[in-house]
Amino acid sequence: MSVTQKTATGDGEASVVAKLSTLDRFLAVWILLAMAAGLGLGRLVPGLNDVLAKVEIGGISLPIALGLLIMMYPVLAKVRYDRLDTVTGDRKLMLSSLVVNWLIGPAVMFALAWLFLPDHAEYRTGLIIVGLARCIAMVIIWNDLACGDREAAAVLVALNSVFQVLAFGLLGWFYLDLLPGRLGLGEGESLDISPWKIAANVLVFLGIPLVAGFLTRHLGERELGRERYENGFLPKIGPGALYGLLFTIVVLFALQGKTITSRPLDVARIALPLLAYFAIMWFGTFLLGKAIGLPYDRTATLAFTAAGNNFELAIAVAIATFGVTSGQALAGVVGPLIEVPVLVALVYVSLALRRRFAGSGNASPGNA
């Protein structure tokens, strides 16, 4: 059984990792190779990052948008959209997600940024921007690899996208301008980002693949029937999710390879609070999900949606406000450099915890 083609078999006590396909089993290797390839291309091919950076519309990178679309489409085509009401009716899940993502997450990143980088305002600001940009894209695939609840992931990323449009600018003002001044930490900063630009980011990185996945599921079931659609069509497009992920990683790191490799000590300083952030958010939220009685699949979904961040939005905001060569932009770039391997590792941690999870054999209604 491939994780990218998982079905609800109810064998939570069996070793999931032992049943992975070759592609899935060596996922961490492929991702590290993709990161290395991207960094190498960005460093060794003259002008490549400039060429890739110019292929954009409205500040949105078309190569990255293409990669994320390819990555997210197969997973969103697997979602049972007729079961979304079982997720929206789960008040513990919905309320926990809102609190963790929009109250706790930004506050944790703010505290860590000041704790680790009290003497470097640019990097500190960049990290806070990363903390404000809640994940709406790549978390879809981390959740699927960890056998999380697909329907819950679709609902929570949609919820995050709405709050991102409404709250990003307000939280940016609070954590970068108002709060530092009130705490006597120095002069505040403001972000040059409009709600419309955030809405465009949400539309491209979530709206398009979500609509494509919904239409594929609706039309596919109508033409093929549910059994043929799920057992015949979905396994054929499933590997595309990982191919899209690897393509996105190569492009992303090729775009920023020169910046990252030319400032290794600065990258290390930025990496420390990021590592602490991902660990605190994922493990803390996983424990929260277990404590409030969520089943494994929804607990995993809650944890990954809390730990992930919208790196594309964070980088775009940092560059638009402070410039492409700024420390804020570098902090945004280092975000996915650390997030990708850490969340891949947490996929394996999650799968290991699944076997010990109380009631793990009882999937939530969304995955039944």
Side-chain angles (χ1 to χ4, degrees):
M1 179 181 67
S2 166
V3 171
T4 56
Q5 301 170 9
K6 76 179 179 71
T7 57
T9 59
D11 60 346
E13 297 301 320
S15 174
V16 177
V17 176
K19 298 180 180 181
L20 300 182
S21 68
T22 301
L23 181 64
D24 289 334
R25 187 186 297 275
F26 296 101
L27 173 65
V29 175
W30 310 140
I31 286 179
L32 290 174
L33 289 175
M35 292 172 64
L39 290 172
L41 287 171
R43 183 74 182 181
L44 299 176
V45 179
L48 177 62
N49 57 336
D50 294 330
V51 172
L52 290 173
K54 290 177 181 177
V55 186
E56 64 173 35
I57 295 178
I60 294 174
S61 169
L62 294 184
I64 291 179
L66 175 63
L68 289 175
L69 175 60
I70 296 172
M71 178 190 79
M72 295 173 66
Y73 166 68
V75 180
L76 290 172
K78 297 175 184 178
V79 170
R80 287 285 302 275
Y81 293 93
D82 58 327
R83 291 178 169 175
L84 294 187
D85 60 333
T86 66
V87 179
T88 56
D90 189 339
R91 294 184 179 180
K92 289 189 293 185
L93 175 69
M94 300 291 285
L95 181 60
S96 297
S97 179
L98 285 175
V99 170
V100 169
N101 274 287
W102 296 102
L103 294 180
I104 297 177
V108 168
M109 186 66 91
F110 176 84
L112 290 172
W114 276 96
L115 178 64
F116 282 88
L117 297 166
D119 59 338
H120 211 305
E122 290 189 356
Y123 296 161
R124 188 173 63 239
T125 296
L127 284 178
I128 293 172
I129 293 172
V130 171
L132 298 179
R134 312 311 299 168
C135 194
I136 63 169
M138 202 169 278
V139 70
I140 292 285
I141 198 164
W142 305 139
N143 176 76
D144 208 53
L145 289 167
C147 299
D149 187 320
R150 292 191 188 113
E151 287 69 40
V155 170
L156 294 186
V157 296
L159 187 66
N160 272 349
S161 71
V162 173
F163 270 79
Q164 198 147 258
V165 174
L166 298 176
F168 186 90
L170 178 62
L171 288 174
W173 166 77
F174 178 77
Y175 281 106
L176 294 175
D177 190 1
L178 178 65
L179 192 57
R182 290 295 178 88
L183 296 177
L185 298 174
E187 186 177 348
E189 298 184 85
S190 59
L191 296 180
D192 181 20
I193 185 71
S194 71
W196 303 113
K197 188 164 187 176
I198 298 173
N201 183 279
V202 168
L203 176 64
V204 170
F205 296 122
L206 176 62
I208 293 176
L210 185 61
V211 170
F214 173 80
L215 291 176
T216 300
R217 164 67 77 168
H218 177 71
L219 298 175
E221 285 194 1
R222 189 177 70 181
E223 297 298 323
L224 302 174
R226 179 165 294 168
E227 184 176 352
R228 286 181 60 197
Y229 176 81
E230 293 188 344
N231 298 325
F233 176 72
L234 288 182
K236 292 179 181 178
I237 67 171
L242 292 186
Y243 298 143
L245 172 65
L246 297 177
F247 174 80
T248 303
I249 291 171
V250 171
V251 172
L252 176 66
F253 287 97
L255 272 166
Q256 307 296 341
K258 187 174 181 180
T259 301
I260 293 172
T261 56
S262 63
R263 299 160 77 174
L265 294 179
D266 289 353
V267 168
R269 287 203 64 185
I270 297 168
L272 289 176
L274 282 168
L275 287 169
Y277 172 81
F278 294 131
I280 291 170
M281 293 302 296
W282 194 90
F283 284 102
T285 307
F286 196 94
L287 290 174
L288 171 64
K290 193 173 188 303
I292 63 177
L294 295 179
Y296 165 80
D297 52 359
R298 290 191 175 175
T299 296
T301 299
L302 186 64
F304 280 102
T305 52
N309 294 91
N310 186 349
F311 58 82
E312 178 63 15
L313 176 61
I315 294 171
V317 170
I319 290 176
T321 305
F322 303 103
V324 69
T325 60
S326 66
Q328 292 89 339
L330 177 62
V333 168
V334 175
L337 175 69
I338 306 303
E339 178 176 335
V340 170
V342 168
L343 291 190
V344 170
L346 288 173
V347 166
Y348 289 98
V349 172
S350 188
L351 291 173
L353 292 174
R354 181 190 189 210
R355 294 178 307 206
R356 306 191 196 113
F357 203 91
S360 63
N362 300 320
S364 66
N367 272 0

